Amino acid sequence: DVVMTQSPLFLPVTLGQPASISCRSSQGLVFSDGNIYLNWFQQRPGQSPRRLIYKISERDSGVPDRFSGSGSGTDFTLKISRVEAEDVGTYYCMQGSQWPWTFGQGTKVQIK
Amino acid sequence: EVQLVESGGDLVQPGGSLRLSCAASGFTFGNSHMHWVRQAPGKGLESVSAISSSGGNTWYSNSVKGRFTISRDNSKNTLYLQMGSVRVEDTALYYCAREIKGDYDLWGQGTLVTVSS
């Protein structure tokens, strides 16, 4: 199985300041169609996960543009340009290139 | 409204069986690959099983292979997960999710399965 490793696992942030979460895969994620299915999900407390970013950097509809994804190879990053109170929750990277699809451990974002 | 609604979660004894259901609405269910994803209390997410749009192909994680069976009834817009020989470590909130090529673009609210004697 592809192992997804996130860091940090806990991220205290100040409102209005940027935040960055790293995700590393144990192997390359290029699918047979040439795409890399590396995705980011947000899970607010008590809620189901919600897709934020797909295929490394494509933002889902309705996702604020303060969220951005980047990366290549086995290293990927989710950035929040200016953290808002509603961004509190746990963020997961996930690879959908190889079954079983696997998630990172999650990064808990809290306001300082 | 486009949504997925899970049901069937319950308290079950180790070694027992349970069937989960996921009712889909607001989209053409028969065109979508579907998955079950679980989350143990206070833990992360784990993809458990997947099924192709026609039901002809299924996939399982090693942790449930041979014990769980995924199926679907496209005439009823419903996804199922038959859980057998359950273990304490199967305790989790079980989500159904719609696949959109390498990704999940729609999630249900989850149904809780507790395995305990």
Side-chain angles (χ1 to χ4, degrees):
Chain A
D1 297 1
V2 178
V3 177
M4 306 298 289
T5 304
Q6 286 182 232
S7 63
L9 300 184
F10 180 68
L11 184 57
V13 295
T14 301
L15 287 174
Q17 293 301 301
S20 180
I21 300 170
S22 172
C23 175
R24 178 168 292 176
S25 60
S26 61
Q27 54 188 270
L29 301 178
V30 180
F31 190 62
S32 55
D33 62 5
N35 287 309
I36 292 177
Y37 294 104
L38 186 287
N39 315 300
W40 291 93
F41 294 87
Q42 174 194 60
Q43 187 174 34
R44 291 175 173 145
Q47 295 186 12
S48 303
R50 165 203 181 192
R51 186 176 70 168
L52 292 177
I53 302 285
Y54 60 98
K55 288 197 291 185
I56 302 178
S57 60
E58 301 292 326
R59 205 165 36 244
D60 205 352
S61 59
V63 174
D65 61 7
R66 64 179 181 273
F67 290 94
S68 64
S70 63
S72 62
T74 59
D75 290 295
F76 306 93
T77 303
L78 175 70
K79 291 183 179 178
I80 310 173
S81 59
R82 296 172 305 280
V83 173
E84 297 189 6
E86 65 178 18
D87 300 335
V88 165
T90 302
Y91 293 78
Y92 296 92
C93 63
M94 186 210 84
Q95 66 81 20
S97 293
Q98 178 180 324
W99 183 260
W101 295 2
T102 47
F103 293 85
Q105 315 97 301
T107 295
K108 193 169 187 178
V109 172
Q110 288 191 343
I111 305 300
K112 282 183 183 175
Chain B
E1 182 185 0
V2 177
Q3 64 176 355
L4 299 169
V5 179
E6 301 93 335
S7 61
D10 205 346
L11 172 65
V12 58
Q13 292 189 339
S17 300
L18 197 63
R19 189 176 84 157
L20 308 183
S21 300
C22 170
S25 58
F27 65 98
T28 306
F29 178 71
N31 288 349
S32 296
H33 292 1
M34 298 295 297
H35 292 235
W36 287 99
V37 180
R38 69 184 180 184
Q39 186 169 35
K43 302 297 183 182
L45 298 161
E46 178 190 11
S47 295
V48 170
S49 186
I51 188 167
S52 61
S53 56
S54 67
N57 291 292
T58 58
W59 296 266
Y60 299 93
S61 67
N62 287 334
S63 60
V64 306
K65 194 176 298 182
R67 301 187 299 120
F68 291 9
T69 302
I70 191 172
S71 62
R72 64 191 296 161
D73 186 336
N74 287 345
S75 68
K76 295 182 178 179
N77 292 338
T78 303
L79 174 72
Y80 302 100
L81 185 68
Q82 179 68 47
M83 305 171 63
S85 302
V86 297
R87 304 167 181 167
V88 170
E89 55 265 34
D90 294 322
T91 294
L93 188 63
Y94 284 73
Y95 296 101
C96 67
R98 182 176 70 179
E99 174 184 331
I100 180 80
K101 197 59 185 296
D103 195 0
Y104 300 123
D105 73 330
L106 180 66
W107 296 69
Q109 85 291 345
T111 187
L112 182 62
V113 173
T114 303
V115 183
S116 174
S117 54

